[in-house]
Amino acid sequence: MKQLIINADDFGLSPGVNQGIVEAYQAGGISNTTLMVNMPGFTDAVRLASLHPEMGVGLHFNLTYGRPVSDVRLVPSLVQKDGCFHSISEISSRERSEIEIELLAQWDRFIATGLYPTHLDAHHHLHQVYPEVYEAMARLAARENIPMRRLQQPHHFSGNPDLIPIHVDQVLLDTYDADNGLQKLLCYLHNLPPGSTEIMCHPGYVDEPLQTLSKLTKERESELAVFCNPAVSKTIQNLGIHMIHYGLLESAINEPIPKSSVAVSDTDYASPVVPVQSLRPRRSVSQRKSFGKRKLKFHSLQRRKGRKRALPRKKTRIAMRKKEKNR
């Protein structure tokens, strides 16, 4: 059994990003998104989420864009002098206790919308890089019994059995904005292993708020075109991949594996990115020789049929005429 979550990060960043994410969901290209609660598109994102209740919405914990939700006086290590978060490019020492304060503040703002997070992940993958961010998030995920985006590289907190939240079997953190973006995604889908997988993406439209906040602009529109392409949802359906959101992950993990999906053949991992080949079946050497002989015989018969019938010899014609007279 193959379960797939395609998650669009940065829901709530701007109205343009929100609109792109919803369009990708409507096209069947994503199943989940994660919400930033301190960004200009937050209210619009909540409105759109209420219109699409089957779309999973998690919390996109943010420590690098905008201002904190909590009182800046409580989180001095997280902010600059102007009260805004340190950017991702700045070298800063974030205190774990202050990370927990801000994480709980963002969680509470999310809950106040009436929604409930399907899972946790972090903007700019901070929990992948900083163990103290991972620890705070993992404790919250364990307390609330919700999944969290899987680490690609383990760090020292990830070995603590009390800090291992529910997660997918593998996560693909890649981009799809280049000319081969669709081809790359389809290749991932064809090579998807059994178990659960998350594919992350950043679809969206460029608008004024986005341009003032993020360097990732036109790339979002390129990814939007990829995840709205009908080939994506069609491939998922044709391959029998079970598309879910994070809120369904735990039940999917506990679901018994059908006998038909236990044995996986090598063909399940064949990449679709191959040169176009003839659809005619390939023959063995003996078949080709046999076919060649039949082909020669066939053409020989055709040439014979195409010839005009030879006239009888002269003596034979005279004898035939005498017979006709004697009748």
Side-chain angles (χ1 to χ4, degrees):
M1 180 72 70
K2 299 178 182 181
Q3 295 104 6
L4 175 63
I5 298 167
I6 301 183
N7 188 85
D9 287 9
D10 300 349
F11 197 43
L13 181 57
S14 76
V17 170
N18 297 344
Q19 185 59 37
I21 289 172
V22 168
E23 287 183 13
Y25 169 73
Q26 291 172 332
I30 71 164
S31 58
N32 222 122
T33 186
T34 35
L35 176 63
M36 306 173 81
V37 301
N38 68 327
M39 289 285 99
F42 170 65
T43 302
D44 177 62
V46 172
R47 177 186 65 84
L48 290 171
S50 66
L51 295 175
H52 301 88
E54 293 183 357
M55 178 176 67
V57 183
L59 174 60
H60 199 50
F61 182 41
N62 175 26
L63 290 175
T64 54
Y65 276 7
R67 300 176 67 87
V69 173
S70 56
D71 189 330
V72 293
R73 293 172 295 183
L74 299 177
V75 289
S77 72
L78 306 184
V79 297
Q80 307 172 72
K81 291 181 179 179
D82 62 358
C84 293
F85 285 128
H86 294 291
S87 69
I88 187 63
S89 59
E90 286 184 75
I91 298 175
S92 59
S93 179
R94 300 176 176 89
E95 294 292 331
R96 184 177 61 83
S97 59
E98 296 176 21
I99 293 169
E100 291 177 349
I101 290 172
E102 179 58 21
L103 175 59
L104 291 176
Q106 293 189 22
W107 172 272
D108 289 342
R109 178 172 286 187
F110 191 117
I111 296 296
T113 66
L115 303 172
Y116 192 82
T118 55
H119 72 294
L120 298 177
D121 59 29
H123 191 50
H124 287 141
H125 311 301
L126 289 186
H127 75 294
Q128 302 270 355
V129 181
Y130 298 102
E132 58 272 19
V133 177
Y134 172 85
E135 182 185 14
M137 293 177 62
R139 289 189 186 281
L140 178 61
R143 189 190 78 187
E144 299 295 335
N145 194 34
I146 62 171
M148 182 171 145
R149 178 171 284 166
R150 184 187 181 94
L151 291 177
Q152 284 192 311
Q153 297 293 330
H155 41 60
H156 66 273
F157 283 122
S158 61
N160 185 339
D162 296 327
L163 295 176
I164 302 177
I166 304 163
H167 54 65
V168 295
D169 296 319
Q170 74 160 359
V171 59
L172 296 173
L173 307 179
D174 208 339
T175 58
Y176 307 90
D177 54 283
D179 292 339
N180 68 337
L182 178 61
Q183 189 181 35
K184 182 196 292 186
L185 178 60
L186 295 179
C187 183
Y188 279 147
L189 294 176
H190 278 264
N191 287 286
L192 207 67
S196 55
T197 303
E198 179 195 353
I199 293 177
M200 177 211 69
C201 59
H202 290 89
Y205 288 108
V206 178
D207 56 8
E208 188 176 346
L210 177 64
Q211 290 176 323
T212 61
L213 289 165
S214 176
K215 294 180 180 178
L216 196 69
T217 53
K218 289 295 183 182
E219 295 88 345
R220 295 179 189 269
E221 293 189 348
S222 297
E223 290 206 1
L224 175 61
V226 169
F227 286 88
C228 283
N229 193 303
V232 175
S233 58
K234 186 175 181 181
T235 300
I236 291 170
Q237 183 178 6
N238 290 344
L239 293 175
I241 297 169
H242 188 201
M243 190 88 145
I244 63 173
H245 61 67
Y246 264 107
L248 302 173
L249 178 61
E250 189 172 16
S251 59
I253 291 172
N254 296 327
E255 188 176 283
I257 301 174
K259 291 182 180 180
S260 59
S261 66
V262 172
V264 181
S265 67
D266 292 338
T267 55
D268 286 350
Y269 298 94
S271 168
V273 189
V274 293
V276 177
Q277 297 178 345
S278 170
L279 297 178
R280 293 162 66 180
R282 298 187 66 180
R283 300 180 175 87
S284 66
V285 174
S286 60
Q287 285 176 323
R288 288 200 299 271
K289 287 181 178 178
S290 175
F291 177 76
K293 290 177 182 178
R294 292 199 305 272
K295 189 175 180 181
L296 287 172
K297 186 176 181 181
F298 173 78
H299 284 300
S300 176
L301 289 171
Q302 287 294 98
R303 284 197 298 272
R304 289 178 188 176
K305 287 181 180 179
R307 292 175 185 167
K308 291 183 179 179
R309 182 177 292 178
L311 291 172
R313 292 181 180 181
K314 187 174 180 180
K315 290 182 179 179
T316 307
R317 290 201 304 269
I318 293 171
M320 290 173 66
R321 286 174 188 166
K322 286 182 180 179
K323 285 182 180 180
E324 290 292 330
K325 288 181 180 181
N326 295 329
R327 284 179 182 178

